[in-house]
Amino acid sequence: MIMASTNDMGPLSLENFRNNLSASWRVVGLKTSNATYQLNQPETHLRQEKQKEKEGKSSVGLPQWTDSPVKLARRQLIEKRMAKRAAELVKQDDEVIVKLEDLAIERSKSVDSAVLGKYNIWRKENENENADSTVRLMRDQIIMARVYLSIAKMKNKLDLYQELQTRLKESQRALGEATSDADLHHSEHEKIKAMGQVLSKVKDQLYDCKLVTGKLRAMLQTADEQVRGLKKQSTFLSQLAAKTIPNGIHCLSMRLTIDYYLLPPEKRKFPKTENLVNPSLYHYALFSDNVLAASVVVNSTVLNAKDPSKHVFHLVTDKLNFGAMNMWFLLNPPGKATINVENVDEFKWLNSSYCPVLRQLESATMKEYYFKAGHPSTTGASNLKYRNPKYLSMLNHLRFYLPQVYPKLDKILFLDDDIVVQKDLTGLWAVDLHGKVNGAVETCGESFHRFDKYLNFSNPHIAKNFDPNACGWAYGMNIFDLKVWKKKDITGIYHRWQNLNEDRVLWKLGTLPPGLMTFYGLTHPLNKSWHVLGLGYSPSIDRTEIENAAVVHYNGNMKPWLEIAMTKYRPYWSKYVKYNHPYLRNCKLSEWSS
């Protein structure tokens, strides 16, 4: 009080605050001059004077302070309480502080840091209004209008029913396919206002908590069922899109086939046929019924080869595409490389008496399994997956008969038709397989793509012969030692497992499961940079990893020649397609269309 009064008002006058003193203080025998002198003395002097008062002494000219015994006792009690509290605060040492900090940390654990990060009020982006706030408001209004529409009909409020129905149609038309506020017309705010007024009126007249809750619950359940149905439909359509041939590729095959059979027989032959049995050259096996895909595999391999003249392509297709495949490579020979096209249907040794798969495919139970639409164990999209034509084609199973197809070769590199070669592959023939048959890139991580994903380990034949945690490997780019293949009788091992799986109890479909079993313990892992997979299903493959790979593989449903392909991966494939070729232009095949 003294400091404030002195600073704000100049020289201190005791009269300014005499009336504000505590009731327990009184001034006796006050003289203004002496009081002024006393209050302006140093603090130590005041303490000395108080001590003198306690001793019952009074100084000449100084004010004398007196208290009643009750008030003095109360003041002393307050002073003791304050001293005790001060002592308690002083006793709060480091250990107490640590305990308080620990409690604060425990409380903070219940706070979702992700939510705090996203909705932090200090973040700049939260200064702006959500881009779709108006759209969401309109959707909410439409939902509530539907709720009250049914209640109005139930309670026979026809006037409200008609008004709601009119506003509902207006809002639905205004909203259309809009996903953000930018898609809306500026006049839609009037419709929102009108709908809000109607909903407010309807709520006053029809609101019933039980009815509204029940209707919303029913709408939620219906929406959930619709979502599940749409997911099934989406899966089915994606499977269908993956298994069908685009019109442009079908057109290309038909035009090439017609032109091939118009050629005289002497012009249907490829040059350098002597290279086909030369074991010192680099031989590739490619089994495909897709002309455009096969052309990319051959083009990309040749363009990235250091010496194309030493590369030989053995291409096998089916009877339907044999003419088209021949015609394409007669018109577009692979530079200095050698190529030959064969028809799988002309392999007379590949018959049902020798091949278990062919025998099984001819059985009535297998035909029912693959072709009966209402199969009890597979419905919808999964049924379409089991009826994939590639599982019925011997082109898919021919990989288990490489020494029979190429008896004079020692090593061969098997390539799928959904790969792109980006580097020279001749180094693969120099890889030491350490007595193994198959050189392949392993695909397992910590828990993915191991044997238990592909095989039925509840079956004793599987459980006693294989390790469920054994690492899987990739078909698509495999270097095979055909000499060791023959010694180990790999084809015989494959036949044994196919015979045991006649009822599909060991694995369901495909060639990878029997491949894992057939080459179990006979596969040498290659460096992962040789073969990068997943471009047909995974959107998160690192770009550097793709560009450093010798071979990239579009395994999965999203093949690069389909509309459902991932756009960011397509250029790696499309740069090896000759879109300016007359056949491709006539069939309207362009980079955009594929």
Side-chain angles (χ1 to χ4, degrees):
M1 289 172 64
I2 292 169
M3 290 294 295
S5 300
T6 304
N7 293 339
D8 295 340
M9 301 174 62
L12 175 67
S13 173
L14 189 61
E15 295 295 330
N16 290 334
F17 63 93
R18 179 185 294 160
N19 295 331
N20 294 326
L21 291 173
S22 170
S24 61
W25 294 87
R26 291 176 184 267
V27 180
V28 179
L30 177 66
K31 291 184 180 180
T32 305
S33 60
N34 289 335
T36 305
Y37 169 80
Q38 175 71 22
L39 292 171
N40 281 304
Q41 294 307 307
E43 186 180 5
T44 55
H45 184 67
L46 288 174
R47 283 201 298 270
Q48 291 173 0
E49 291 303 324
K50 289 179 182 178
Q51 183 64 29
K52 289 178 182 179
E53 286 176 19
K54 291 180 181 178
E55 296 172 356
K57 298 176 182 180
S58 59
S59 300
V60 179
L62 291 175
Q64 186 178 355
W65 304 88
T66 60
D67 280 330
S68 68
V70 175
K71 291 178 180 178
L72 184 62
R74 187 175 69 180
R75 188 170 68 254
Q76 290 174 346
L77 183 64
I78 291 171
E79 288 175 354
K80 286 181 181 179
R81 194 182 302 135
M82 292 176 65
K84 183 180 178 182
R85 176 60 181 157
E88 288 176 353
L89 291 171
V90 170
K91 285 181 181 179
Q92 286 189 346
D93 56 5
D94 290 342
E95 187 176 334
V96 176
I97 293 171
V98 169
K99 288 180 180 179
L100 292 172
E101 289 175 348
D102 290 341
L103 288 173
I105 291 170
E106 287 299 318
R107 287 195 300 271
S108 70
K109 287 180 180 178
S110 63
V111 179
D112 188 348
S113 61
V115 173
L116 283 175
K118 187 174 181 181
Y119 296 103
N120 190 329
I121 61 172
W122 303 108
R123 289 170 68 97
K124 270 192 171 183
E125 55 263 36
N126 288 299
E127 294 176 5
N128 301 323
E129 189 179 357
N130 285 333
D132 63 342
S133 58
T134 306
V135 169
R136 287 189 287 113
L137 174 60
M138 292 184 74
R139 287 174 180 164
D140 290 344
Q141 286 185 333
I142 288 171
I143 290 170
M144 292 311 300
R146 286 173 178 166
V147 170
Y148 284 117
L149 199 65
S150 62
I151 296 175
K153 190 174 183 180
M154 184 190 307
K155 294 189 175 183
N156 203 28
K157 299 286 187 178
L158 298 181
D159 53 339
L160 291 177
Y161 179 84
Q162 291 294 338
E163 191 173 0
L164 268 173
Q165 196 171 43
T166 302
R167 294 299 179 191
L168 180 60
K169 288 179 179 177
E170 286 180 358
S171 294
Q172 287 174 331
R173 280 196 300 269
L175 184 61
E177 300 295 327
T179 56
S180 66
D181 294 356
D183 299 331
L184 296 173
H185 192 268
H186 60 84
S187 63
E188 309 309 337
H189 292 281
E190 293 299 323
K191 293 183 174 64
I192 293 172
K193 185 177 179 181
M195 174 64 91
Q197 291 171 349
V198 173
L199 287 174
S200 179
K201 181 170 68 173
V202 170
K203 182 181 178 182
D204 291 339
Q205 298 185 38
L206 299 178
Y207 181 75
D208 183 317
C209 183
K210 188 175 180 180
L211 284 176
V212 171
T213 304
K215 182 61 180 175
L216 285 171
R217 189 178 291 114
M219 290 172 67
L220 181 62
Q221 187 174 357
T222 302
D224 189 48
E225 290 173 358
Q226 288 175 342
V227 168
R228 284 200 298 269
L230 289 171
K231 281 183 178 178
K232 288 181 180 179
Q233 186 180 17
S234 174
T235 305
F236 178 86
L237 291 174
S238 65
Q239 290 282 350
L240 185 63
K243 311 315 173 194
T244 53
I245 301 173
N247 287 336
I249 295 178
H250 179 72
C251 164
L252 176 65
S253 181
M254 293 299 101
R255 286 177 179 269
L256 288 168
T257 299
I258 293 169
D259 290 347
Y260 175 74
Y261 287 108
L262 292 175
L263 286 177
E266 64 273 11
K267 290 188 178 181
R268 298 180 188 176
K269 295 178 181 179
F270 292 100
K272 298 180 286 189
T273 54
E274 67 279 0
N275 289 342
L276 298 175
V277 292
N278 186 348
S280 64
L281 300 178
Y282 304 116
H283 294 266
Y284 300 85
L286 174 60
F287 309 144
S288 176
D289 58 0
N290 186 325
V291 176
L292 198 61
S295 73
V296 169
V297 175
V298 175
N299 287 347
S300 62
T301 306
V302 172
L303 288 173
N304 290 288
K306 292 179 181 177
D307 186 358
S309 65
K310 293 184 178 180
H311 295 257
V312 182
F313 296 90
H314 301 265
L315 204 157
V316 181
T317 188
D318 55 20
K319 182 169 34 179
L320 183 64
N321 294 281
F322 178 71
M325 206 73 76
N326 272 281
M327 190 66 188
W328 177 263
F329 288 106
L330 286 169
L331 292 172
N332 307 279
K336 295 180 180 180
T338 304
I339 193 166
N340 186 56
V341 180
E342 295 180 90
N343 181 0
V344 68
D345 297 309
E346 293 180 358
F347 296 162
K348 302 303 179 185
W349 52 267
L350 198 62
N351 51 59
S352 57
S353 62
Y354 172 66
C355 178
V357 171
L358 276 175
R359 185 177 65 253
Q360 291 167 10
L361 291 176
E362 291 174 358
S363 67
T365 54
M366 185 66 80
K367 289 177 182 177
E368 181 182 7
Y369 179 75
Y370 277 110
F371 296 109
K372 187 176 180 181
H375 196 276
S377 63
T378 56
T379 56
S382 61
N383 194 20
L384 182 66
K385 182 178 180 180
Y386 284 100
R387 290 183 283 139
N388 188 335
K390 77 175 184 179
Y391 300 124
L392 308 178
S393 171
M394 278 310 299
L395 286 175
N396 202 44
H397 298 272
L398 197 60
R399 63 191 71 190
F400 294 104
Y401 299 95
L402 290 173
Q404 288 84 347
V405 182
Y406 311 110
K408 295 185 179 181
L409 301 181
D410 297 333
K411 275 190 175 182
I412 196 163
L413 184 64
F414 172 79
L415 298 177
D416 265 340
D417 66 356
D418 55 352
I419 64 105
V420 174
V421 177
Q422 301 187 129
K423 293 183 180 180
D424 182 69
L425 300 181
T426 53
L428 285 168
W429 276 266
V431 173
D432 185 359
L433 298 181
H434 300 283
K436 305 295 179 66
V437 183
N438 174 27
V441 169
E442 292 182 333
T443 57
C444 59
E446 293 181 1
S447 60
F448 300 104
H449 299 287
R450 297 185 183 270
F451 272 45
D452 58 353
K453 177 178 178 179
Y454 303 100
L455 305 177
N456 176 20
F457 275 87
S458 64
N459 186 284
H461 290 295
I462 299 295
K464 71 181 181 182
N465 286 289
F466 303 101
D467 177 7
N469 292 316
C471 191
W473 44 267
Y475 254 136
M477 190 213 69
N478 308 78
I479 185 74
F480 290 111
D481 189 325
L482 301 184
K483 284 185 176 181
V484 182
W485 182 307
K486 294 171 188 175
K487 289 179 183 177
K488 301 287 186 182
D489 189 22
I490 296 299
T491 303
I493 297 173
Y494 165 70
H495 282 175
R496 174 175 170 264
W497 287 117
Q498 277 289 359
N499 285 323
L500 288 172
N501 195 48
E502 188 152 359
D503 296 327
R504 297 167 304 283
V505 293
L506 306 185
W507 72 90
K508 287 186 177 180
L509 72 167
T511 52
L512 182 56
L516 296 176
M517 300 162 73
T518 301
F519 295 100
Y520 184 63
L522 298 170
T523 299
H524 173 73
L526 298 176
N527 188 291
K528 291 187 181 296
S529 64
W530 280 112
H531 186 188
V532 169
L533 298 102
L535 278 71
Y537 68 86
S538 175
S540 57
I541 304 172
D542 185 73
R543 181 177 177 181
T544 305
E545 187 180 359
I546 294 173
E547 292 177 351
N548 290 336
V551 168
V552 290
H553 195 169
Y554 291 82
N555 56 314
N557 284 339
M558 296 181 226
K559 304 298 184 189
W561 55 84
L562 298 175
E563 289 184 7
I564 60 173
M566 281 182 269
T567 307
K568 65 177 182 176
Y569 297 148
R570 183 177 281 153
Y572 298 108
W573 183 84
S574 60
K575 69 179 180 179
Y576 294 105
V577 180
K578 301 176 181 178
Y579 286 109
N580 60 346
H581 195 283
Y583 278 89
L584 270 63
R585 289 206 309 269
N586 290 336
C587 289
K588 298 181 181 178
L589 274 167
S590 63
E591 189 169 3
W592 176 83
S593 66
S594 62

